[in-house]
Amino acid sequence: MTQSFLEGLAANRGSLAVTVVVPAKDEAQNLPILLDEIETALDGRRFEVIVIDDGSSDGTDIVLQDYAATHDWLRPIRHENSCGQSCAVRTGVQHARGDIVATIDGDGENNPAYIPKLLDALEAAGPAVALAAGQRLGRKASLAKRYASKFANKIRGAILRDNTRDSGCGLKALRREVFLQLPYFDSWHRFLPALVIREGYGVTHIDVQDRQRRHGTSKYGIFDRALVGILDLAGVWWLRRRRKKIPEVRALT
């Protein structure tokens, strides 16, 4: 971690209400539309948007640089090599200046209009709740992907008991200080409710309508994450079991 990065965090922490983190790979056509929608959704709020270009090869970096030239709330960051969605989200959280971090996928399938609803739900729930998680309705993915996702969510819910119907939805709002406490691993973003509960915080849920992507194709298939997903699930189950007690902390002076 560079000195300039640390100095930037110290100087800017808490200066914004919300940072929207957008992981993106090869989404040059979708991002300008999505960014316009985010600006409209957050009109009247103090916000910034961090888009992490995860090693794109379609000119996403140029599109982001051009957009940032006329929108000072956009902070584009690039991974020179693709490191995956979880790593991109983590990079965004590390660079965020907002007290609340909202996440949304860069493909346009998540509607930014739900971001204010997530923020309001998190605020209304109080400090004991650290995560407002979107849960998709009307999935637009293929029938095979919908069934695979439904099956995976049922297995995950039965084992982790995180009371979350759809942990894979990209729309979430999480208190940044809690975000940084969570143990990191690839595919970490798919287990955020369980990991937040492990830290002793609550989770609230908002139903969100899914929509079709406008351009491009999905970056993953049905079976390419199956084995890894099983191992990740076992790992999160182990992490949950190894957290025996949540301390109640109070100052003695």
Side-chain angles (χ1 to χ4, degrees):
M1 202 174 288
T2 66
Q3 185 64 26
S4 61
F5 172 66
L6 293 173
E7 289 172 351
L9 290 183
N12 295 302
R13 182 65 57 240
S15 62
L16 292 163
V18 60
T19 297
V20 180
V21 169
V22 186
K25 178 176 171 59
D26 294 332
E27 299 291 358
Q29 292 180 286
N30 288 313
L31 282 170
I33 302 169
L34 181 66
L35 291 169
D36 287 346
E37 291 178 326
I38 292 173
E39 182 179 32
T40 298
L42 294 178
D43 183 41
R45 297 179 187 253
R46 293 182 297 118
F47 74 96
E48 67 176 355
V49 179
I50 298 178
V51 179
I52 302 87
D53 172 12
D54 188 38
S56 297
S57 58
D58 69 340
T60 288
D61 55 340
I62 303 302
V63 169
L64 290 173
Q65 288 174 337
D66 290 344
Y67 196 99
T70 56
H71 299 81
D72 60 5
W73 44 260
L74 175 62
R75 297 172 59 207
I77 296 173
R78 177 171 170 83
H79 289 169
E80 289 303 324
N81 301 307
S82 180
C83 298
Q85 185 172 348
S86 279
C87 187
V89 170
R90 185 170 186 250
T91 295
V93 174
Q94 289 174 329
H95 285 75
R97 297 183 295 202
D99 295 321
I100 305 298
V101 173
T103 64
I104 184 170
D105 291 345
D107 56 17
E109 292 181 17
N110 301 152
N111 190 338
Y114 290 105
I115 295 176
K117 298 179 187 296
L118 292 169
L119 299 175
D120 291 344
L122 190 59
E123 181 180 2
V129 173
L131 170 64
Q135 298 192 116
R136 290 167 291 187
L137 299 173
R139 291 288 307 276
K140 298 302 188 294
S142 68
L143 183 63
K145 284 187 178 179
R146 293 201 303 271
Y147 274 114
S149 177
K150 187 175 182 179
F151 176 75
N153 274 307
K154 281 191 174 183
I155 295 297
R156 188 212 69 259
I159 292 174
L160 299 182
R161 299 182 181 180
D162 57 5
N163 298 316
T164 299
R165 185 183 72 240
D166 174 24
S167 71
C169 179
L171 276 165
K172 294 182 174 70
L174 211 160
R175 303 187 192 281
R176 182 181 181 276
E177 61 181 16
V178 177
F179 227 142
L180 292 174
Q181 295 175 27
L182 305 181
Y184 172 75
F185 53 90
D186 282 343
S187 296
W188 156 84
H189 67 285
R190 301 184 185 284
F191 296 93
L192 289 178
L195 295 173
V196 166
I197 292 170
R198 177 181 182 268
E199 297 300 321
Y201 293 94
V203 177
T204 189
H205 301 93
I206 297 292
D207 285 338
V208 302
Q209 286 289 335
D210 200 30
R211 61 183 187 177
Q212 296 277 6
R213 65 159 53 236
R214 294 181 177 88
H215 305 284
T217 58
S218 175
K219 304 303 184 294
Y220 63 88
I222 301 172
F223 302 108
D224 54 359
R225 293 192 313 242
L227 178 57
V228 174
I230 292 170
L231 295 173
D232 287 339
L233 179 58
V236 175
W237 173 83
W238 182 86
L239 285 170
R240 288 284 304 272
R241 284 185 60 84
R242 296 306 299 164
R243 185 63 182 262
K244 297 298 184 182
K245 292 183 179 180
I246 304 297
E248 295 183 18
V249 181
R250 64 182 178 88
L252 295 177
T253 59

